[in-house]
Amino acid sequence: MSKETFKEDSAESTNNDFNIFSTRFYLDVSEIGNQKYSVITDLRDKHDFFHKFNKEKLQLEGENDLQVRQMYLKHTNKRGNIFYNIGRFSPPEAGAIYLDGAQVGYRFDNSLSVSVLGGLNPKKETESSLAYNDNAYNQGLSTLYFKKRKKGAYLYLANSFVRQGYKSEVDREFIFHNSIYQPNRYHRLTTLAYYDFVPSTKFQNLWINYWSSIKRKYSYAITGSHIDVIEYTRKQDVRETLDPSVYESVKLKLRNKNTRKVTTEFKLSYGKRESDDLTKTEGSVGFIYHRFLNKNKNAHASFGY
């Protein structure tokens, strides 16, 4: 439940207080029949209050019906080569897209697989909810590689080419890339990128993170990111008054495990907007108390500027 107040900036203010009751229904039924099918259902509020606070929540809407976020049949087929998904779903190896359609793949071995996907596109850039749209479509080709080695080492690679269009027009073509390389338990490199070809050639989103641990007592993480105007709009806080802009940032996080229950954390970040050269610098010091009250709860406090 939440309570929000809407006030117009005028001599006679108008208050609109209302309560919101958010509902979500998620069901995953697995191991169905001899083929071991799975059926996944995810129903949510139309305005999706489970995600970040956004501008939609400030708009007074007439109704807030449930949306079908996901509902599909999944056949992993661990013993065979061919696998598929049918229905409304989001294929993780193809990025942040949704399909009203199908994905069919071929698994060469336990590490490498290739799949094709296609169907209608229920997602609009300007809305967080999904709705059936027989004029918009998604098409794509994906590869997925995952190899696990000894001593915590593994390599994950997901690459996809995706085309999105409306009727006969192509709105967007992009390559999605996601990789995680961990040579051992103490080092990890993670990358994520969306590189667009249509409507223009550019990185819409680029994220690189390197994490390292030293003798299990000290650890640090360095993150660099680049987002374009579209991604900036998606992440923009409702209180921000600046126009969307290309934004680049660098973040550093250091951790020192003082005792088994207490960890000290230091954070520094620097970012810059391309449109007006405005910069943002932040720093903080925090303390993490592990197993606070019980083994499943941690307490965290931080101070910064």
Side-chain angles (χ1 to χ4, degrees):
M1 298 290 290
S2 67
K3 187 173 183 180
E4 300 180 6
T5 303
F6 172 79
K7 293 184 179 180
E8 293 205 3
D9 189 14
S10 60
E12 297 180 358
S13 296
T14 301
N15 297 336
N16 289 287
D17 297 342
F18 58 95
N19 292 323
I20 297 172
F21 183 73
S22 258
T23 307
R24 181 185 183 186
F25 173 81
Y26 183 87
L27 178 65
D28 184 348
V29 182
S30 304
E31 305 291 326
I32 302 174
N34 295 330
Q35 296 294 323
K36 307 299 182 182
Y37 293 104
S38 297
V39 176
I40 292 91
T41 302
D42 186 1
L43 305 179
R44 303 187 189 183
D45 286 310
K46 175 182 176 182
H47 303 296
D48 203 357
F49 299 124
F50 293 95
H51 285 190
K52 73 180 184 67
F53 184 78
N54 55 53
K55 295 180 180 179
E56 284 190 21
K57 293 178 66 176
L58 293 184
Q59 298 173 357
L60 300 178
E61 300 287 346
E63 59 183 358
N64 182 31
D65 298 326
L66 287 177
Q67 60 163 313
V68 180
R69 196 72 179 181
Q70 293 188 97
M71 184 179 290
Y72 65 101
L73 174 70
K74 180 178 181 180
H75 183 36
T76 305
N77 194 15
K78 296 180 180 179
R79 296 181 179 179
N81 300 105
I82 298 176
F83 60 92
Y84 56 85
N85 300 319
I86 301 175
R88 174 173 289 180
F89 60 97
S90 177
E93 60 269 33
I97 68 169
Y98 281 87
L99 273 178
D100 282 344
Q103 177 185 23
V104 180
Y106 183 85
R107 187 181 299 108
F108 294 94
D109 52 35
N110 292 330
S111 301
L112 178 63
S113 63
V114 177
S115 63
V116 293
L117 54 92
L120 301 178
N121 182 6
K123 183 75 172 69
K124 292 183 179 180
E125 294 286 349
T126 56
E127 297 179 7
S128 64
S129 60
L130 304 181
Y132 178 79
N133 186 349
D134 58 4
N135 291 316
Y137 66 86
N138 282 323
Q139 299 171 345
L141 174 66
S142 299
T143 62
L144 180 63
Y145 179 84
F146 178 75
K147 186 70 173 180
K148 192 173 182 179
R149 298 180 175 87
K150 297 179 180 180
K151 297 182 180 179
Y154 67 89
L155 175 63
Y156 172 88
L157 288 172
N159 295 283
S160 296
F161 174 78
V162 179
R163 173 181 292 167
Q164 298 179 315
Y166 186 83
K167 293 185 177 180
S168 60
E169 299 293 327
V170 177
D171 291 335
R172 184 186 179 196
E173 286 184 346
F174 66 91
I175 287 178
F176 170 77
H177 165 79
N178 182 210
S179 68
I180 305 174
Y181 173 59
Q182 182 169 297
N184 51 55
R185 294 186 180 92
Y186 309 108
H187 303 277
R188 185 189 309 122
L189 177 65
T190 307
T191 62
L192 186 147
Y194 291 85
Y195 188 79
D196 286 21
F197 297 99
V198 176
S200 60
T201 304
K202 63 179 179 179
F203 277 106
Q204 185 182 109
N205 192 353
L206 177 63
W207 186 85
I208 302 174
N209 173 270
Y210 177 74
W211 172 88
S212 179
S213 177
I214 304 172
K215 295 182 179 180
R216 299 185 181 181
K217 181 177 176 62
Y218 307 98
S219 67
Y220 65 91
I222 302 173
T223 304
S225 65
H226 166 95
I227 60 175
D228 74 344
V229 175
I230 297 175
E231 189 67 16
Y232 189 101
T233 305
R234 293 191 187 113
K235 298 178 179 295
Q236 191 173 21
D237 190 276
V238 66
R239 296 165 295 182
E240 187 172 339
T241 58
L242 298 174
D243 293 330
S245 168
V246 174
Y247 184 74
E248 295 179 342
S249 66
V250 178
K251 298 179 181 180
L252 172 65
K253 181 169 68 175
L254 304 173
R255 279 188 173 184
N256 175 30
K257 194 171 183 180
N258 307 91
T259 65
R260 292 182 61 184
K261 288 194 172 184
V262 179
T263 298
T264 307
E265 184 177 73
F266 303 89
K267 291 182 179 180
L268 291 172
S269 67
Y270 173 83
K272 183 177 181 180
R273 289 165 46 91
E274 184 180 276
S275 62
D276 46 26
D277 290 332
L278 291 177
T279 61
K280 180 172 69 173
T281 303
E282 294 179 324
S284 66
V285 178
F287 301 93
I288 303 172
Y289 190 87
H290 303 280
R291 298 187 177 184
F292 181 72
L293 298 180
N294 61 54
K295 64 179 182 179
N296 299 318
K297 292 183 175 62
N298 296 335
H300 180 251
S302 61
F303 310 88
Y305 69 95

